[in-house]
Amino acid sequence: MPEFDTRDPLEPHFWDERFAQQFMPWDLGGIPEQLRGLVASRDAAADAAVVPPVALIPGAGSAYELDLMCEAGWEALAIDFSPNAVARAKKVVRRWPERIVQADFFTWQPDRKLDVIYERAFLCALPPEHQPRVVQRWAELLPHDGLLAGYFFFGDTPSGPPFGIARAELETLLAPHFTLIEDEPVPDSLPVFEGKERWMEWRRR
């Protein structure tokens, strides 16, 4: 384990240090299987006249997924409040640098209505007391019928990140705003998440 000066994951420098030292156990190094399936299924169902989905990847880190979404024609944007994360993402996703932005998820404002928010190791990056705030922000950003899709980490991990959440607690937080429409095991989990995460899709009420 490398030595770090910052222990507060609410501070950008916490993540800057970890990217600088290449300590990224949450980084898959590519695009996960179930996201590929989601993008493919939406593309197959889309009519040529339909406007491409507008998607947000908060806490994007290396932003591998942005490449897949943009290649499919989505109007996707990756945001992260860590300067080092943004710099890394722009090296990883070279074709779409203008779609990688340094921003705070809680204050960032979209310039158009979102259709999809992709969750990947963002909720579990924050201490449990801040997780209701994330859910509230998801609900604010997504309109009726918008889709919250991604990977949700369950468990009791008070010394995170990653900070797990009990499934019942997640459902309590999401139920006033969202309806669960997909729930699957994850075949390509990283060791830090293995056996404790689910692919889920939630439709905004």
Side-chain angles (χ1 to χ4, degrees):
M1 173 73 73
E3 292 292 325
F4 301 113
D5 295 330
T6 309
R7 296 293 177 182
D8 183 0
L10 300 177
E11 294 294 328
H13 189 58
F14 176 96
W15 303 100
D16 281 341
E17 283 191 292
R18 284 147 182 81
F19 278 102
Q21 297 195 45
Q22 298 290 303
F23 181 76
M24 301 175 294
W26 64 86
D27 191 309
L28 183 65
I31 300 164
E33 178 179 324
Q34 281 147 311
L35 178 65
R36 289 186 183 276
L38 174 67
V39 172
S41 66
R42 287 189 69 108
D43 289 349
D47 184 274
V50 174
V51 176
V54 178
L56 175 69
I57 309 173
S62 300
Y64 306 102
E65 298 92 340
L66 181 69
D67 200 36
L68 173 71
M69 293 178 184
C70 292
E71 181 67 28
W74 290 26
E75 295 293 330
L77 184 74
I79 64 172
D80 204 298
F81 74 164
S82 160
N84 282 359
V86 170
R88 176 178 171 82
K90 289 189 175 184
K91 291 178 181 177
V92 169
V93 188
R94 294 180 180 274
R95 291 187 295 170
W96 325 99
E98 74 284 359
R99 298 192 186 185
I100 302 166
V101 176
Q102 185 178 340
D104 185 331
F105 172 68
F106 296 105
T107 58
W108 173 84
Q109 294 294 331
D111 59 8
R112 68 188 75 180
K113 183 176 70 174
L114 297 178
D115 299 299
V116 179
I117 294 178
Y118 172 63
E119 161 61 19
R120 178 70 174 190
F122 181 64
L123 181 67
C124 67
L126 301 182
E129 63 269 23
H130 293 273
Q131 292 170 346
R133 187 178 172 214
V134 176
V135 172
Q136 184 60 43
R137 186 70 177 134
W138 285 335
E140 291 170 358
L141 288 170
L142 280 172
H144 172 67
D145 274 348
L147 185 68
L148 169 67
Y151 298 86
F152 293 82
F153 177 63
F154 298 108
D156 183 15
T157 52
S159 61
F163 298 98
I165 188 171
R167 179 169 181 132
E169 183 178 354
L170 178 69
E171 291 176 350
T172 296
L173 290 173
L174 286 170
H177 313 288
F178 295 90
T179 300
L180 180 62
I181 59 173
E182 292 289 343
D183 178 11
E184 302 172 355
V186 179
D188 53 354
S189 290
L190 287 163
V192 70
F193 301 126
E194 192 167 6
K196 295 183 178 180
E197 67 175 344
R198 304 283 294 181
W199 167 266
M200 304 175 102
E201 297 176 25
W202 296 83
R203 181 76 63 192
R204 183 72 167 93
R205 294 184 189 276

